[in-house]
Amino acid sequence: MSAPSADEPVTNGPHGTPSCGESKETPSHATDTTGQESEADAVNYIKTDLGEMNIIESMCPKCEKNGTTRLMITTIPHFKQIIVSSFECANCGERNNEVTFGGTFGPKKVRYELEVKSKKDMDRQVVKSEFATIQIPELELEIPAESQKGSLNTVEGILEQTKEGLEFQQPLRRVQHPELYEKIQTFCEKLESYRGGEIPFTLILDDPAGNSYIEGRYEYYHPTKDPQLTKYEYERTDIDRQLLGVAIDYNTERNEMEQKEVDEGQFDDISCIPCDCPACKKQGQINMKECDIPHFKETVIMAFRCEYCGYRSNEIKTGGAIAPHGRRITLHVESDDDLKRDVLKSDTATLLIPEVSLELAPGTLGGFFSTVEGCIAQVRDQLNNLPQVAFSTGDSAEPGDKTMLQFVGELNDLLSLTKTFTFVLDDPLANVYIQNPRAHLPPPDDVDPRLVVHDYTRTQEQDEELGIHEMQHSETTENQ
């Protein structure tokens, strides 16, 4: 993850810039194959000095004609060396720029909080790495790490770039989604008012790579401290290290007894209960294990496999006491990362997806631990196995009614994310869970804007259906 320094050969990266070994020039030193370099093996490179501008001819990724890439190594005061590359195509007008950091990741993750109070603060330089997240709480604006690459900009430039990105599809939204168009237009006008520097706000830059930076302004009486800029440093979590691709130091050493248990497949924390196979009626055993889901509660995983007929099944049961309130979790699925979130659904939970009018009643499919994508795929596969699907196109199908085959197609559209949708789990016993990737952060950063958790008081009918009233009555009788 390192970049060349000022006195090392520099090759160019993606987005219109030639990669290592790609060049329009032909090497001038072609030799024979007797242990020396051949013309095919020779690689052109650029030897550059700090602050020197290099202009390279490279292919445009849009029109595939020749464009121009400008490459320069520069040093940001009080920070580090960075490689700035800018591409421009004179044929189609395509332009892009990118920042690559010279050196390695920072020793710790960093978080900058800048209080923007004047027009002068709007001109501060901001270096954002590809792993960094930008937030402006006053605007309820968050720019996630995966939406932008590394960039060198100003505070005003960040607001302007965000506004241009939101306005890109506005003409189409005005025709197809007028309500969404009005909301985005109102937000863009609010962004424009903030660009003047007259409205104070806070800019937060959070980077697990430790390579982001906000320019500080130092006065005569504060030569080493900017009263409007605060920098925090934290130790990286395992999730941060996975995001950066940095090795995690797991302790894999085992003693002789532990190694024997691994080799023989014996674990003391797994309980085995004999039972009959529901398919062939021969005796088998259920394996049960307790596990702790982070930021949730203890659960019991039960798995059965028949050695005679191959029948398999698994089920999830939540442990612990009955929760005093019910819980409803709503997830707004907008990206592939949302589809990969872990989900626990108990057998008393209801699954709803309003966009396709799906409501999975309690008890359907039992309790399971999967992902959002796995839940939808499981419902789709169950519907595909129904006989109604095979006869959904026959004479018995009612005109204008949604057939089972059309419903399965809508579920496939959800899995391919052709549109955003809402994934809801509602359980009166609060035994439901959807992964929150921010749960490990300190408040208020642990709040996920796409995930809404609502605890509610159970109704009397729900307590009666779940048998809670009978348990409370029995406990009261015993105490008397």
Side-chain angles (χ1 to χ4, degrees):
M1 302 298 296
S2 62
S5 61
D7 54 356
E8 293 178 339
V10 176
T11 55
N12 301 320
H15 302 285
T17 60
S19 60
C20 181
E22 297 177 353
S23 178
K24 300 299 181 181
E25 299 179 3
T26 303
S28 58
H29 55 287
T31 59
D32 55 20
T33 58
T34 60
Q36 296 179 332
E37 279 189 311
S38 65
E39 182 176 353
D41 296 333
V43 177
N44 281 347
Y45 61 88
I46 302 169
K47 190 170 182 65
T48 184
D49 295 324
L50 185 66
E52 180 183 353
M53 174 72 71
N54 296 273
I55 301 177
I56 310 164
E57 184 178 312
S58 54
M59 187 183 71
C60 175
K62 186 175 182 180
C63 66
E64 299 186 355
K65 296 182 180 180
N66 287 339
T68 303
T69 296
R70 290 174 173 82
L71 183 74
M72 183 179 68
I73 299 179
T74 184
T75 300
I76 296 179
H78 312 290
F79 189 50
K80 59 175 65 176
Q81 290 183 359
I82 63 172
I83 303 172
V84 182
S85 59
S86 175
F87 174 79
E88 182 176 3
C89 179
N91 301 287
C92 65
E94 173 71 9
R95 300 177 65 184
N96 61 61
N97 59 79
E98 188 173 345
V99 169
T100 306
F101 294 90
T104 58
F105 290 143
K108 297 181 179 180
K109 62 183 296 185
V110 297
R111 177 186 174 92
Y112 288 90
E113 294 184 3
L114 172 65
E115 297 179 7
V116 181
K117 298 181 178 180
S118 63
K119 177 64 176 176
K120 187 177 180 181
D121 294 327
M122 302 294 290
D123 298 330
R124 295 194 190 217
Q125 284 188 339
V126 178
V127 178
K128 174 189 174 298
S129 78
E130 58 183 313
F131 302 101
T133 300
I134 294 178
Q135 300 177 11
I136 300 179
E138 290 80 0
L139 286 170
E140 297 183 359
L141 171 65
E142 178 175 350
I143 304 176
E146 62 272 10
S147 64
Q148 293 181 359
K149 298 195 172 189
S151 62
L152 173 61
N153 213 329
T154 62
V155 176
E156 182 180 5
I158 292 173
L159 297 181
E160 181 179 1
Q161 188 175 2
T162 303
K163 180 174 176 290
E164 291 177 353
L166 292 173
E167 290 178 340
F168 180 69
Q169 295 287 346
Q170 279 295 81
L172 185 62
R173 295 190 192 100
R174 188 172 188 175
V175 177
Q176 296 181 349
H177 307 285
E179 294 182 0
L180 180 60
Y181 166 82
E182 292 295 336
K183 292 181 180 179
I184 294 180
Q185 192 66 26
T186 303
F187 185 79
C188 289
E189 292 174 359
K190 193 173 182 181
L191 273 176
E192 186 65 28
S193 64
Y194 273 69
R195 281 184 57 192
E198 299 177 357
I199 304 176
F201 64 92
T202 305
L203 178 71
I204 301 175
L205 183 61
D206 196 327
D207 183 13
N211 283 337
S212 293
Y213 166 81
I214 296 180
E215 178 187 4
R217 298 286 172 83
Y218 306 103
E219 301 176 356
Y220 178 80
Y221 295 102
H222 302 280
T224 60
K225 184 178 179 181
D226 186 343
Q228 296 178 221
L229 181 63
T230 307
K231 178 183 178 182
Y232 302 93
E233 291 187 351
Y234 306 96
E235 294 293 337
R236 294 188 181 95
T237 64
D238 289 347
I239 297 178
D240 295 329
R241 300 177 74 87
Q242 290 176 0
L243 176 66
L244 300 175
V246 179
I248 300 175
D249 185 18
Y250 293 108
N251 181 16
T252 58
E253 296 183 2
R254 305 187 185 98
N255 57 36
E256 185 178 350
M257 183 61 67
E258 291 173 342
Q259 186 63 42
K260 182 179 178 181
E261 291 179 352
V262 172
D263 294 338
E264 297 179 359
Q266 298 176 358
F267 300 94
D268 295 337
D269 55 350
I270 294 181
S271 303
C272 301
I273 300 177
C275 67
D276 294 336
C277 174
C280 66
K281 304 301 181 182
K282 293 188 177 182
Q283 189 174 16
Q285 64 180 18
I286 291 180
N287 296 325
M288 297 190 303
K289 183 181 185 303
E290 291 186 3
C291 64
D292 187 12
I293 298 178
H295 311 289
F296 186 53
K297 60 173 67 174
E298 291 183 355
T299 59
V300 180
I301 301 177
M302 298 183 294
F304 176 84
R305 180 181 181 275
C306 181
E307 297 180 357
Y308 297 96
C309 66
Y311 174 82
R312 294 183 180 183
S313 66
N314 60 78
E315 192 173 356
I316 295 288
K317 294 289 186 182
T318 54
I322 297 177
H325 299 91
R327 174 164 294 183
R328 181 184 180 94
I329 305 179
T330 303
L331 172 65
H332 300 282
V333 181
E334 301 176 1
S335 65
D336 290 334
D337 292 336
D338 295 329
L339 288 175
K340 297 175 184 177
R341 296 193 190 213
D342 292 333
V343 171
L344 185 142
K345 174 195 171 295
S346 69
D347 51 3
T348 57
T350 301
L351 170 62
L352 302 99
I353 302 180
E355 286 76 6
V356 295
S357 301
L358 171 65
E359 181 175 351
L360 206 64
T364 309
L365 301 180
F368 55 82
F369 185 75
S370 184
T371 60
V372 175
E373 183 179 11
C375 292
I376 300 175
Q378 191 170 352
V379 175
R380 179 200 60 190
D381 295 340
Q382 289 288 335
L383 293 176
N384 273 327
N385 294 330
L386 295 176
Q388 291 91 325
V389 175
F391 298 100
S392 60
T393 56
D395 297 336
S396 59
E398 292 292 335
D401 290 346
K402 182 191 296 186
T403 65
M404 194 70 70
L405 199 60
Q406 290 173 337
F407 188 73
V408 170
E410 291 181 353
L411 294 179
N412 286 326
D413 292 339
L414 297 182
L415 293 175
S416 59
L417 269 183
T418 55
K419 63 178 180 179
T420 60
F421 63 94
T422 307
F423 187 88
V424 183
L425 285 177
D426 191 341
D427 186 5
L429 293 180
N431 291 331
V432 287
Y433 166 80
I434 298 180
Q435 181 186 12
N436 177 8
R438 295 172 171 267
H440 66 284
L441 298 174
D445 297 330
D446 58 341
V447 178
D448 189 341
R450 300 181 188 175
L451 193 66
V452 179
V453 180
H454 173 64
D455 292 336
Y456 59 89
T457 303
R458 286 187 294 267
T459 62
Q460 185 175 357
E461 291 78 7
Q462 288 175 326
D463 285 341
E464 290 179 354
E465 290 177 0
L466 298 170
I468 297 178
H469 277 171
E470 294 181 4
M471 289 187 289
Q472 293 175 345
H473 178 71
S474 300
E475 185 178 355
T476 304
T477 304
E478 291 177 359
N479 292 334
Q480 291 176 353

